[in-house]
Amino acid sequence: MAFDHKHLIDIREYSDSDIWKILETAKAFSAVNERAIKKVPTLKGKTIVNMFNEPSTRTRSSFELAEKRLSADSLNFGGSSTSTVKGESLIDTVMTLNSYKIDMVVVRDKHAGAPYIVSQHTPAGVIDAGDGKHGHPTQALLDLYTIWQHKGGFEGMKVGIVGDISHSRVVGSLAPALKIMGAEVFAIAPGTLIPPAPEVLGVDHVSNSLDDVLPELDVVYMLRIQRERLEGAPFPSLREYHNLFGLTRARERLMKPDAIVCHPGPINRGVEFDSYMADHPQRSVILDQVYAGICVRMAALYLLLGGSDNGLSA
Ligand code: CP
């Protein structure tokens, strides 16, 4: 099956079979990541720019490592070390980078829509690595990969996304991706953190009570409270938020015995959950999500750039 995409910006442009192709390719790359020599020559000669204009630990490090393991040439770029601090625009920056005959730009930016703008000014492919409150498609894909590995599939799976639905770019990609794959999506948050039309994102049910919904869920996906993006005071205090929406040792008794707990990171311990749940050896799959990040990003780069399968199936 050919992979018919140049960019990964809006997950809603991907079908369920496109997403399965990425997940199955990520599984093949997981085998590569388990080898003693974790490197294949599939993207030799390709040049990838990682343009991170906003802080990142997981996304940036896993893209850089994915590119190294695929034998691509990487240019790590962005933030205060670039000429944007002298007033150079995003478009002029991209047109400058185009002169190097680049093949892919991975964009993290605080402005929603920045990856789309980049795609309009480069002949290279573009991957959205998180833009403002808009989207984070590779995060959604790594979340799907993790759920698939732990739960075996998506059809009929009840996934509760808990917390800052309004400000989360993770939800902007994850909720529609879960919908495309056949899961049932619950948004659970204070009313002040639910956007006006959550159904547009792919949300099936909205609840303001975690305790009411928790017993139904197969996957409990906790979101970070986006302190840097909050406007006004959507809840009285972090302590009250934790009391009502935090996943705690006391609340675990409400969960299905085999329900798992996800979080995109970085986590706020004592806010989204207590350390008992964040580090729960059976339920917490947060570090599996981090591992999935490198497998899925290798798969996305490989498929979007039309890599050879040289070394992948060895
Ligand atoms: N989940 C995520 O995007 O984390 P980083 O901001 O550390 O990349």
Side-chain angles (χ1 to χ4, degrees), residues 208-270:
N208 303 132
S209 168
L210 178 57
D211 289 349
D212 285 354
V213 182
L214 205 45
E216 288 190 56
L217 301 177
D218 301 295
V219 178
V220 187
Y221 195 104
M222 306 303 292
L223 292 172
R224 184 170 70 88
I225 289 295
Q226 311 254 313
R227 296 185 220 205
E228 74 278 24
R229 287 187 236 280
L230 290 179
E231 294 129 20
F235 43 80
S237 68
L238 289 175
R239 187 172 169 164
E240 179 164 326
Y241 178 86
H242 179 71
N243 286 341
L244 291 173
F245 293 96
L247 196 58
T248 57
R249 186 172 196 155
R251 281 205 167 93
E252 191 195 4
R253 67 185 161 77
L254 298 174
M255 294 173 69
K256 282 185 173 178
D258 60 350
I260 59 169
V261 178
C262 301
H263 191 294
I267 63 176
N268 293 311
R269 287 177 190 264

Side-chain angles (χ1 to χ4, degrees), residues 55-60 108 129 136 139 169-170 264-266 297:
S56 166
T57 296
R58 281 146 283 269
T59 313
R60 182 173 183 154
R108 158 77 57 107
H136 196 350
Q139 177 70 47
R169 58 185 167 215
V170 172
R297 288 171 178 132

Side-chain angles (χ1 to χ4, degrees), residues 5 39 57 73 82 124 140 184 194-195 202 249 251 271 283-284 314:
H5 291 275
K39 200 169 179 92
T57 296
D73 295 316
T82 72
E184 195 175 342
I194 299 280
R249 186 172 196 155
R251 281 205 167 93
V271 182
R283 295 190 185 277
S284 173

